Amino acid sequence: MRINLQKKRILAMAILLASCGLPSLAQELLRVNGVVVDKDANPMIGVTVRPEGTSTGTVTDLDGHFSIQVKRGAKLSFSYLGYRSAVATATSNMKVLMQEDSKVLDDVVVVGYGVQRKSSVTGAISQVKAEDMEHRTITDANQALQGKTSGVQVITTSAAPGSTPTVRIRGYSSNVSSSPLYVVDGVRTTNISGIDPNDIASMEILKDAASAAIYGAEAGNGVVLITTKKGTTGSGKISYDFQYASQSVNHVPKVLNAEEYINYMSEAGAFTKDYMLKNWDGVTDTDWAKEAFENGEMMKHNLAFQGGNKDGNYYLSLSYLNNDGIVKGDRDSYTRLTATINAEYRIKKWLKVGTTNQIEKYNTRAVSEGSEYGSVLTAVMTMDPLTPVYYSPDNLPDFLAQAQANGRTLLRDKNGDYYGVSRFSNGEQYNPLIMSQNNANKASGYNVNGSIYADFTPLNGLTLTSRFGYRLAGTRNRTVSLPFYGNATQNRDFVDMGSTSSTSIYYQWENFANYMRTFGGHTLTAMLGMSYQESSYDYVSGTLNANGEHSVSKNDPLFYYLHYKTASATQVVDGETTRGSKLSYFGRVGYNYRNRYYAQFSLRADAADLSKLPKNKRWGYFPAVSLGWTMSEENFFQPLRKVIDSAKLRASWGQNGSLSALGNYSYGTDMAQGGIYAFAPGLVYTKAVAPSTMGNDDLKWETSEQFDLGLDLYAFNSRLNFSVDYFNKNTKDLLIWNTTPSLEIGGATSPINAGKVRNRGFEFELGWRDHIHDFQYSVRGNLSTLSNKVTYIDPSITRLTGAKFHTYDITFFEQGYPVYYFRGYKFKGVDPQTGDPQFYDLDGDNQITENDLTNIGDGIPSITYGITLTAAYKGFDFTLFGTGAQGNDVFCCINRPDMLAWNKMKDYLYDDRWTPDHTNASVPRAGANNMDKYSVSDAMVKDGSYFKIKQIQLGYTLPKTLLNKTFISNLRIYASLDDFFTFTSYKGFDPEASTSATSGMGVDKGAYPTSKKVVVGATIEF
């Protein structure tokens, strides 16, 4: 009993001591909640928070918040690459401001359905910032990518006002289209031309499969993520940007002058010299480039309002662009009015809502280009110099007076003079001024892109997002063909017209969750979500074709509408509505151990509707994995840390899909009516129906599989940054048409998955930023290599045809060669006896036939590069930016071989030509035999390598001391030369010429060239 009593006393005493000690222990520990922000009060993701002197801690979440339990009075250390480490005493609620440690920051980059620190990214992601787009004359955000990042090529098929360039990421992966997916503020789109570059905060390019795989079936050609600007915390700010540019043609190809033209045509036997002298006034020597081009003007205005506080922010902007091109008159023009409306607000600590919106209204007019069958730009190079530009009414030649007497319409300029008509050429190319004035075509439209979203944070580290995205678009295109007389074969007597209106509606609803958890030195992130997309497109069109009189009541702009049709006009009406949808599920898991070891896994499942794929093949699954190792965090690396701040190895693998080649019901079996059969007595006939295509229930997605290996380095206190990537991308299951069907079945085949393409190469990016007292400077460069090859095509097909020149196929898709390479004859030289061109007989049959056609080049550059130099000193700033390509060829398709009387390019067909007195020539004689083969031989394939200085800009920012007495907080003025200098051996308008971005790469038929610009501008902030 006494022992038990003693035990009870001891137990009671222990309980009492414990109860007294617990409050004392509780007072030693403190739960700290806080947020980390930068100098602009923007939350910082991924900042490491540790009790000073320990190796364990946490990291800030997506909104910059952190929570940690420490001893009361402990010191907390905050570290983030590119910022000075901060130390602060722990309190229950903290707000920590991080200061930049260098000009190179470890930026937060946007990834699919989230953001990441650049230092923790394990894929190949490049970023183009707002500073790369500011104060440039670019009108389309795609143009901002050229030369600013590795692995990206921008193809300009036309530089006309309102035209849209094409982007290629890591090569050419398809026989149909290799365009990337664009995602603007989380909303998918195919066109970003309506977004003013001034309103863009950043563009991320997801280049490797692991980065893009979260977008699955649409990411096979890479992904471009665009984030538009948001308001910043602080007092409201008003900014106004103004820019004016005078633009002119950069380079004009040399063509024959009057004397050279007479010599060449008389040598060729096209005309006798007597005939030409008789029909020439002996004075006229028209330079058609000077007559067709003029100095154009471009003006841009952008007005923006922004502001915010700890609970919300807003950004509103309005932009206006007026671009009048370099062709004389107003027939090449583009006007655009855009607005951006972005706002978000934290209603509760656990709920944030927001919206993003881009609104565009545009009008455009364009001149014809890029055609051997009649276009303004080609006519400038092929119109003969003996024809005057104009005839005065009292000096009209007899043949034109006769044409007018016969009812032909001779067009006049604003002064009442008649446009000149050639006596020497009756082909499709005629006076380019007539060509630009013989129509009243117009196009207009609108685009509304936007989203409404909500972020719900029920638990610390967990964010649930619901986002509804939408796109509304409408277009109106009107074609009015006016009466004109260009020559005996190119003329029209009456007005024809047509009109098309279309509407596109797209919406997506996405719901996804992001979770971040830190424990010990481990950080785990996870994302899981779903997406539903639906789109519809409808159009209606009508055309009126004249029959003996105008198709409209009067040849007057007020009557250029379908409503004013005449009774005799042939009327055609068309229209259709199409619909498509897609359902997707996706997820991603990431792991980070002490910012040293990284791993990320993702999977997306996409299902297309039955308009694209058969039911048994509608689902596609796209996995990806990436790993990273920051070796600079290892102990063995510490001796190098005085020089190298960070060194990380990356590796990734993944699969992506592509929708680009899938048409509506391509897999289906089509039925067509055939002959008429009498299966019953009398005049009773039955129409037969037979399959016109055989169908393919095994049709599936195109799939790209890619491996990437990369290295990222920061050195010298992050003043130097360097990255290198190697990639190997294989695209399989390309859709191939026109395979040979079974002789037993007959008919035509439906498309099958029967093609493969390989792209591989290296990418390098190097940057240096530093300052010497008040002088700041930076150098950034990038370089990419590319090897492209078709590795498989269905054995029943030797090759697929692409672009044509006149009646000749010149580009082909064939196994063992680059995508759409040039195929033609190999030029052996000029026969010194006859002056005729000679070609290599590759099959040895002593004849030059189609069997002697071979690979003669391709339009895909093997190297692309860009460099940007900046400097600033006491208010002055300077920028020099250039970009180039190496290894690409240009197929010069200006001079048709069947049009001998057209003018010629002097460098390629006149200089060093064969004559009886010059037999050791490199160019055939005028009017030589086999010029049809010569025009599609490697003699007309030229080196298209180039280097362009895209911008030379000098700016000055007024001192704050001068502005303090005004309501202006910042004022910068600048002057710039844009696209002013091009270094190339190609003699055409532009070495970047292409008739299309896929099958017509490098084919030059007279594309609208990039103009050089003299620019002045100003930026004012209030």
Side-chain angles (χ1 to χ4, degrees):
M1 287 290 294
R2 293 179 62 182
I3 294 176
N4 290 337
L5 181 60
Q6 187 176 5
K7 287 181 178 180
K8 290 181 179 178
R9 288 175 178 174
I10 293 173
L11 180 61
M13 181 65 68
I15 293 173
L16 177 63
L17 289 174
S19 63
C20 293
L22 282 175
S24 175
L25 180 62
Q27 289 174 0
E28 293 180 4
L29 296 179
L30 176 69
R31 169 60 63 179
V32 178
N33 297 302
V35 62
V36 181
V37 298
D38 63 14
K39 63 182 179 62
D40 295 320
N42 296 314
M44 296 178 61
I45 178 179
V47 176
T48 300
V49 184
R50 292 192 183 104
E52 198 171 25
T54 70
S55 59
T56 60
T58 186
V59 294
T60 55
D61 62 14
L62 299 174
D63 296 313
H65 292 105
F66 68 92
S67 180
I68 189 172
Q69 191 173 33
V70 298
K71 293 181 180 180
R72 185 179 298 276
K75 299 288 187 181
L76 290 180
S77 171
F78 300 84
S79 60
Y80 188 66
L81 183 62
Y83 284 77
R84 298 190 187 101
S85 295
V87 177
T89 302
T91 59
S92 58
N93 290 289
M94 301 182 67
K95 184 174 183 179
V96 180
L97 173 66
M98 300 285 286
Q99 298 289 343
E100 297 177 15
D101 189 32
S102 69
K103 294 298 182 182
V104 178
L105 300 178
D106 184 34
D107 297 311
V108 172
V109 296
V110 179
V111 296
Y113 305 100
V115 294
Q116 290 182 359
R117 284 191 306 163
K118 193 170 185 179
S119 61
S120 65
V121 169
T122 51
I125 301 177
S126 291
Q127 186 179 52
V128 176
K129 302 179 183 178
E131 65 190 56
D132 296 310
M133 293 172 268
E134 292 172 345
H135 315 305
R136 293 183 60 191
T137 52
I138 57 175
T139 58
D140 189 297
N142 285 301
Q143 297 168 322
L145 299 176
Q146 186 175 28
K148 292 295 185 179
T149 181
S150 62
V152 176
Q153 182 189 0
V154 178
I155 304 166
T156 305
T157 57
S158 171
S163 62
T164 300
T166 303
V167 171
R168 293 288 180 262
I169 298 175
R170 289 189 167 179
Y172 304 75
S173 302
S174 176
N175 56 313
V176 178
S177 174
S178 299
S179 296
L181 169 68
Y182 296 95
V183 181
V184 181
D185 294 328
V187 181
R188 291 165 180 77
T189 184
T190 57
N191 188 351
I192 59 173
S193 61
I195 305 174
D196 191 305
N198 281 335
D199 294 328
I200 295 176
S202 70
M203 300 173 70
E204 274 80 16
I205 301 92
L206 312 185
K207 298 185 291 187
D208 69 318
S211 300
I214 200 66
Y215 290 104
E218 298 171 272
N221 298 310
V223 181
V224 178
L225 303 181
I226 298 176
T227 304
T228 56
K229 291 180 178 178
K230 294 183 178 181
T232 56
T233 301
S235 60
K237 184 173 73 173
I238 304 172
S239 60
Y240 169 68
D241 288 281
F242 167 78
Q243 188 179 87
Y244 172 83
S246 175
Q247 48 194 356
S248 57
V249 63
N250 197 333
H251 169 73
V252 176
K254 293 180 181 179
V255 294
L256 307 187
N257 61 28
E259 181 182 354
E260 293 164 340
Y261 181 84
I262 291 172
N263 290 338
Y264 190 91
M265 294 304 159
S266 60
E267 291 175 17
F271 310 102
T272 66
K273 184 169 289 189
D274 289 340
Y275 174 83
M276 287 186 285
L277 294 176
K278 179 181 178 181
N279 290 280
W280 176 49
D281 59 13
V283 177
T284 299
D285 190 358
T286 302
D287 184 338
W288 288 103
K290 288 184 178 179
E291 301 299 334
F293 296 121
E294 65 180 0
N295 285 347
E297 295 182 343
M298 181 171 68
M299 193 174 296
K300 294 167 62 178
H301 303 269
N302 179 270
L303 180 64
F305 307 86
Q306 60 176 303
N309 55 36
K310 63 183 180 64
D311 293 320
N313 62 78
Y314 63 89
Y315 179 87
L316 310 172
S317 77
L318 188 66
S319 301
Y320 177 73
L321 167 68
N322 187 355
N323 188 2
D324 184 12
I326 57 177
V327 175
K328 185 172 290 186
D330 62 352
R331 299 305 171 98
D332 59 330
S333 62
Y334 177 58
T335 59
R336 183 183 71 198
L337 182 66
T338 58
T340 298
I341 305 171
N342 293 342
E344 63 180 13
Y345 193 81
R346 186 173 294 279
I347 298 176
K348 301 288 185 180
K349 290 183 178 180
W350 43 267
L351 179 62
K352 180 173 67 177
V353 296
T355 182
T356 63
N357 298 273
Q358 300 88 42
I359 306 167
E360 173 200 18
K361 176 69 175 70
Y362 66 89
N363 294 278
T364 184
R365 302 191 70 179
V367 297
S368 55
E369 57 175 309
S371 173
E372 66 270 43
Y373 297 114
S375 67
V376 171
L377 276 298
T378 312
V380 167
M381 292 183 283
T382 56
M383 186 68 179
D384 68 84
L386 308 183
T387 299
V389 183
Y390 311 101
Y391 292 113
S392 62
D394 57 357
N395 193 32
L396 197 63
D398 292 340
F399 79 101
L400 286 183
Q402 184 61 47
Q404 190 176 44
N406 292 336
R408 301 298 188 185
T409 300
L410 305 184
L411 296 183
R412 302 188 183 202
D413 70 353
K414 60 183 179 181
N415 297 319
D417 293 330
Y418 293 101
Y419 290 113
V421 175
S422 176
R423 294 174 180 264
F424 307 100
S425 173
N426 284 325
E428 293 94 334
Q429 310 291 0
Y430 48 94
N431 188 329
L433 300 181
I434 296 178
M435 203 174 292
S436 67
Q437 298 296 318
N438 67 2
N439 67 84
N441 301 339
K442 289 184 178 181
S444 62
Y446 68 87
N447 288 286
V448 179
N449 302 328
S451 68
I452 301 172
Y453 61 89
D455 291 337
F456 175 56
T457 309
L459 302 172
N460 186 31
L462 175 64
T463 301
L464 308 177
T465 299
S466 182
R467 180 168 58 213
F468 180 80
Y470 46 86
R471 292 199 322 263
L472 310 174
T475 64
R476 289 185 296 179
N477 296 297
R478 187 186 69 183
T479 60
V480 180
S481 302
L482 301 176
F484 77 98
Y485 185 80
N487 55 44
T489 63
Q490 303 299 309
N491 52 74
R492 184 168 45 245
D493 294 329
F494 305 109
V495 175
D496 294 326
M497 75 156 297
S499 182
T500 300
S501 295
S502 67
T503 302
S504 299
I505 299 175
Y506 165 89
Y507 71 86
Q508 64 181 52
W509 186 31
E510 296 182 318
N511 299 280
F512 53 94
N514 275 286
Y515 179 71
M516 176 186 287
R517 172 78 186 276
T518 300
F519 49 96
H522 310 275
T523 299
L524 181 68
T525 61
M527 186 275 295
L528 185 66
M530 62 79 63
S531 173
Y532 176 76
Q533 304 169 46
E534 184 170 317
S535 61
S536 63
Y537 170 79
D538 66 83
Y539 76 94
V540 60
S541 67
T543 59
L544 301 174
N545 297 314
N547 284 315
E549 62 176 341
H550 296 316
S551 62
V552 292
S553 301
K554 188 177 181 181
N555 184 8
D556 185 287
L558 296 177
F559 291 83
Y560 296 159
Y561 299 94
L562 298 176
H563 177 75
Y564 296 104
K565 63 184 182 298
T566 57
S568 62
T570 301
Q571 304 172 36
V572 179
V573 179
D574 194 11
E576 186 183 22
T577 298
T578 59
R579 178 189 173 277
S581 61
K582 187 160 72 73
L583 177 66
S584 309
Y585 299 96
F586 49 86
R588 178 175 59 218
V589 176
Y591 173 75
N592 169 6
Y593 178 69
R594 298 188 185 278
N595 293 325
R596 184 180 304 171
Y597 308 115
Y598 304 90
Q600 185 169 280
F601 309 88
S602 68
L603 175 66
R604 182 170 180 123
D606 287 304
D609 64 14
L610 292 178
S611 69
K612 299 297 183 184
L613 291 171
K615 188 174 183 179
N616 62 317
K617 296 291 184 180
R618 66 195 307 176
W619 280 98
Y621 301 92
F622 306 99
V625 58
S626 59
L627 304 172
W629 174 37
T630 306
M631 52 188 170
S632 55
E633 294 293 318
E634 302 289 355
N635 291 332
F636 70 80
F637 203 89
Q638 296 312 305
L640 299 176
R641 287 298 296 267
K642 293 182 178 179
V643 177
I644 300 176
D645 306 305
S646 176
K648 182 177 66 177
L649 283 172
R650 297 177 281 104
S652 68
W653 171 92
Q655 292 183 339
N656 309 131
S658 176
L659 296 165
S660 60
L662 292 174
N664 287 331
Y665 301 100
S666 300
Y667 63 91
T669 300
D670 296 327
M671 307 295 288
Q673 291 184 349
I676 300 176
Y677 297 88
F679 291 123
L683 299 176
V684 178
Y685 299 95
T686 302
K687 287 186 177 180
V689 177
S692 59
T693 58
M694 296 187 297
N696 179 11
D697 287 336
D698 291 323
L699 194 68
K700 57 185 177 181
W701 314 87
E702 291 183 358
T703 301
S704 293
E705 183 174 302
Q706 186 177 175
F707 169 76
D708 183 278
L709 183 64
L711 170 67
D712 298 324
L713 289 176
Y714 289 88
F716 303 107
N717 196 25
S718 294
R719 288 174 293 178
L720 175 72
N721 65 283
F722 170 76
S723 68
V724 57
D725 280 86
Y726 167 78
F727 68 92
N728 190 347
K729 179 180 179 181
N730 291 281
T731 305
K732 60 182 180 180
D733 298 327
L734 269 64
L735 267 66
I736 303 296
W737 282 261
N738 302 320
T739 53
T740 303
S742 166
L743 294 177
E744 296 176 353
I745 298 176
T749 58
S750 297
I752 64 173
N753 299 103
K756 297 180 181 179
V757 173
R758 185 202 67 206
N759 291 276
R760 64 186 180 193
F762 289 91
E763 298 169 352
F764 304 89
E765 295 192 5
L766 178 66
W768 174 270
R769 288 195 181 199
D770 202 359
H771 67 93
I772 304 172
H773 302 297
D774 292 332
F775 179 72
Q776 301 175 354
Y777 67 95
S778 71
V779 181
R780 288 185 295 145
N782 62 81
L783 184 146
S784 308
T785 69
L786 178 65
S787 172
N788 173 273
K789 181 187 287 188
V790 178
T791 56
Y792 174 77
I793 193 171
D794 187 80
S796 69
I797 299 177
T798 304
R799 61 186 67 90
L800 300 176
T801 59
K804 283 180 173 288
F805 175 43
H806 190 35
T807 60
Y808 314 100
D809 294 314
I810 58 174
T811 69
F812 294 84
F813 186 92
E814 182 177 359
Q815 183 173 334
Y817 299 95
V819 168
Y820 290 109
Y821 73 102
F822 303 150
R823 189 168 184 265
Y825 297 99
K826 292 284 288 184
F827 177 56
K828 189 175 183 180
V830 176
D831 187 337
Q833 303 299 319
T834 65
D836 291 336
Q838 296 178 308
F839 308 95
Y840 285 98
D841 179 16
L842 299 182
D843 66 352
D845 66 350
N846 296 320
Q847 300 180 72
I848 302 301
T849 65
E850 289 188 356
N851 294 329
D852 298 307
L853 297 171
T854 188
N855 177 17
I856 56 174
D858 65 89
I860 300 176
S862 55
I863 297 174
T864 54
Y865 57 93
I867 185 169
T868 303
L869 310 176
T870 65
Y873 179 73
K874 292 187 176 180
F876 289 95
D877 61 87
F878 174 79
T879 301
L880 174 66
F881 165 52
T883 183
Q886 190 75 29
N888 56 299
D889 299 309
V890 178
F891 208 139
C892 184
C893 298
I894 302 299
N895 295 109
R896 266 173 49 185
D898 61 323
M899 290 296 175
L900 183 58
W902 286 0
N903 206 350
K904 311 299 178 187
M905 292 184 67
K906 190 172 184 294
D907 293 291
Y908 295 154
L909 292 173
Y910 185 83
D911 292 344
D912 201 34
R913 74 190 184 284
W914 185 97
T915 66
D917 298 325
H918 178 52
T919 59
N920 186 25
S922 61
V923 176
R925 64 179 172 86
N929 297 312
N930 292 322
M931 287 302 288
D932 55 339
K933 293 182 175 63
Y934 183 80
S935 66
V936 291
S937 73
D938 60 349
M940 298 309 293
V941 175
K942 309 298 179 181
D943 182 9
S945 303
Y946 67 88
F947 176 67
K948 292 186 174 184
I949 298 180
K950 304 289 288 184
Q951 184 180 55
I952 304 174
Q953 185 176 113
L954 179 64
Y956 180 68
T957 302
L958 271 65
K960 299 291 185 182
T961 54
L962 294 179
L963 300 177
N964 286 338
K965 298 179 181 180
T966 71
F967 52 86
I968 299 175
S969 60
N970 188 62
L971 173 59
R972 178 181 181 269
I973 56 176
Y974 63 91
S976 180
L977 300 177
D978 286 14
D979 298 300
F980 226 79
F981 302 100
T982 299
F983 302 93
T984 182
S985 62
Y986 182 60
K987 306 302 181 182
F989 272 121
D990 197 328
E992 293 188 84
S994 294
T995 57
S996 73
T998 304
S999 61
M1001 270 290 299
V1003 177
D1004 184 8
K1005 296 183 179 181
Y1008 197 108
T1010 301
S1011 60
K1012 61 182 180 181
K1013 308 170 187 69
V1014 179
V1015 187
V1016 294
T1019 299
I1020 306 173
E1021 294 180 359
F1022 305 94

